[in-house]
């Protein structure tokens, strides 16, 4: 879907790196900078981490985000180019993302909620492996998983940490989530599961004192957890803009053919 405006009003935000700040100033001088409150497009300049920060920061802003790479990998970003920026934005493809909602309860009874655009991961905190019980929609599916960790990811996040943990790449629009173990020790051959996107995934930490576990939703970390629940948050829609020839669906598909 293309952006439904012929003349983008652009607000520029940038990471703190010199290259991103220089690019922001160049673009603002060339095209003029609109205040965030009046913008119908937010142009984000930085790397993938900064793009994730912007998606969280502007989750309630009505304008979609058009990112340009001033970082390293730039999987969630378009190539940087100063010329014809309004025209590129007007031709761009809109991608809507549905984040995950994490609810983590610590061993002291504190509840922490956070959103994750890529994944929610549980990770052991010490030298000893974590012991976890996994429920899907309140039904125990794995009574005991001994591992370094486990994660639930969205299609947009399936090529990130999930892929490094040998999880599956999920096409955009597939309406599924990936549940992927990280260095599973028992059951050693369990490779995870692909779940309907409506699933509610619950983790119970066993032996919390001896085997402490942390939970991370993108960059929000909660230490010493007792239980975590993860599910899609259909209300929190995120909108991104990609150049038509290099949109997110194409990038995810291409990853499946990368040696």
């Amino acid at each position: 879907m293309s952006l439904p405006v012929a003349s983008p009003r652009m607000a520029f935000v940038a990471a703190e790196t010199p290259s991103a700040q220089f690019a922001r100033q160049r673009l603002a001088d060339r095209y003029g900078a609109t205040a965030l409150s009046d913008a119908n497009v937010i142009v984000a300049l930085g790397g993938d981490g900064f793009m994730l920060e912007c998606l969280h920061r502007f989750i309630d802003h009505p304008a979609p985000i058009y990112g340009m790479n001033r970082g390293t990998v730039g999987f969630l970003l378009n190539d940087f180019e100063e010329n014809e920026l309004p025209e590129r934005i007007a031709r761009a493809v809109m991608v809507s993302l549905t984040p995950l909602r994490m609810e983590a309860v610590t061993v002291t009874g504190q509840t922490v909620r956070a959103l994750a655009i890529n994944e929610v991961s549980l990770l052991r905190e010490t030298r000893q492996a974590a012991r976890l019980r996994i429920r899907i929609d309140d039904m125990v599916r794995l009574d005991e998983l001994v591992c370094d960790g486990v994660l639930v990811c969205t299609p947009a996040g399936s090529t990130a940490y999930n892929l490094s943990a040998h999880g599956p790449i999920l096409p955009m629009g597939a309406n599924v989530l990936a549940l992927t173990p990280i260095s599973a020790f028992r059951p050693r051959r369990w490779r995870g599961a692909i779940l309907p996107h409506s699933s509610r995934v619950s983790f119970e930490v066993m032996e919390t004192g001896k085997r402490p576990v942390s939970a991370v939703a993108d960059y929000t970390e909660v230490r010493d957890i007792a239980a975590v629940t993860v599910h899609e948050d259909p209300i929190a829609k995120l909108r991104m803009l990609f150049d038509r020839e290099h949109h997110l669906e194409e990038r995810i598909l291409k990853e499946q053919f990368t040696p």
Side-chain angles (χ1 to χ4, degrees):
M1 180 173 61
S2 297
L3 185 69
V5 293
S7 301
R9 301 189 305 276
M10 298 174 286
F12 298 100
V13 295
E16 294 298 324
T17 61
S19 63
Q21 288 293 321
F22 179 76
R24 184 195 63 79
Q25 192 60 55
R26 291 270 299 184
L27 294 172
D29 290 344
R30 181 167 181 173
Y31 296 108
T34 302
L36 281 167
S37 58
D38 298 323
N40 60 11
V41 178
I42 297 171
V43 178
L45 303 158
D48 286 323
F50 182 70
M51 186 63 174
L52 283 175
E53 290 180 22
C54 288
L55 288 167
H56 283 273
R57 176 183 171 189
F58 301 116
I59 193 167
D60 295 322
H61 199 291
I65 300 177
Y66 181 88
M68 286 201 289
N69 188 21
R70 293 284 79 193
T72 305
V73 178
F75 188 82
L76 296 174
L77 301 145
N78 300 289
D79 292 337
F80 179 78
E81 172 59 57
E82 288 187 24
N83 297 326
E84 299 183 344
L85 181 56
E87 291 80 5
R88 287 176 69 187
I89 290 174
R91 295 193 303 266
V93 175
M94 186 92 74
V95 174
S96 181
L97 304 179
T98 303
L100 299 173
R101 171 73 65 179
M102 176 188 80
E103 183 174 294
V105 180
T106 69
V107 294
T108 61
Q110 180 187 10
T111 299
V112 180
R113 297 177 179 86
L115 289 177
I117 296 158
N118 274 352
E119 76 277 320
V120 172
S121 55
L122 277 67
L123 304 166
R124 66 184 175 104
E125 294 180 9
T126 67
R127 61 183 176 81
Q128 291 201 299
R131 288 184 64 217
L132 307 171
R133 180 172 291 120
I134 300 176
R135 292 179 173 87
I136 310 297
D137 297 327
D138 296 323
M139 179 177 292
V140 175
R141 294 293 185 179
L142 202 56
D143 192 59
E144 181 186 64
L145 172 65
V146 181
C147 57
D148 281 354
V150 66
L151 63 85
V152 181
C153 77
T154 66
S158 66
T159 59
Y161 193 7
N162 172 72
L163 182 58
S164 297
H166 307 292
I169 295 176
L170 305 177
M172 294 293 296
N175 292 326
V176 293
L177 305 173
L179 173 63
T180 302
I182 303 168
S183 300
F185 177 70
R186 188 169 61 242
R188 193 181 295 270
R189 289 185 171 81
W190 186 63
R191 293 293 180 261
I194 296 176
L195 307 173
H197 71 109
S198 58
S199 299
R200 189 178 187 89
V201 186
S202 300
F203 302 97
E204 177 187 349
V205 180
M206 304 158 70
E207 296 185 279
T208 55
K210 183 180 179 182
R211 303 169 185 266
V213 173
S214 65
V216 183
D218 284 352
Y219 52 77
T220 300
E221 182 179 12
V222 186
R223 305 281 290 183
D224 300 330
I225 60 168
V228 173
T229 301
V230 181
H231 62 90
E232 271 196 358
D233 188 339
I235 297 176
K237 289 290 186 181
L238 305 165
R239 296 186 299 160
M240 303 170 67
L241 294 170
F242 289 91
D243 292 333
R244 190 173 296 274
E245 60 272 22
H246 298 295
H247 59 84
L248 188 58
E249 290 184 4
E250 170 60 24
R251 293 177 188 208
I252 291 176
L253 181 62
K254 187 177 179 180
E255 279 290 324
Q256 298 181 74
F257 297 92
T258 300

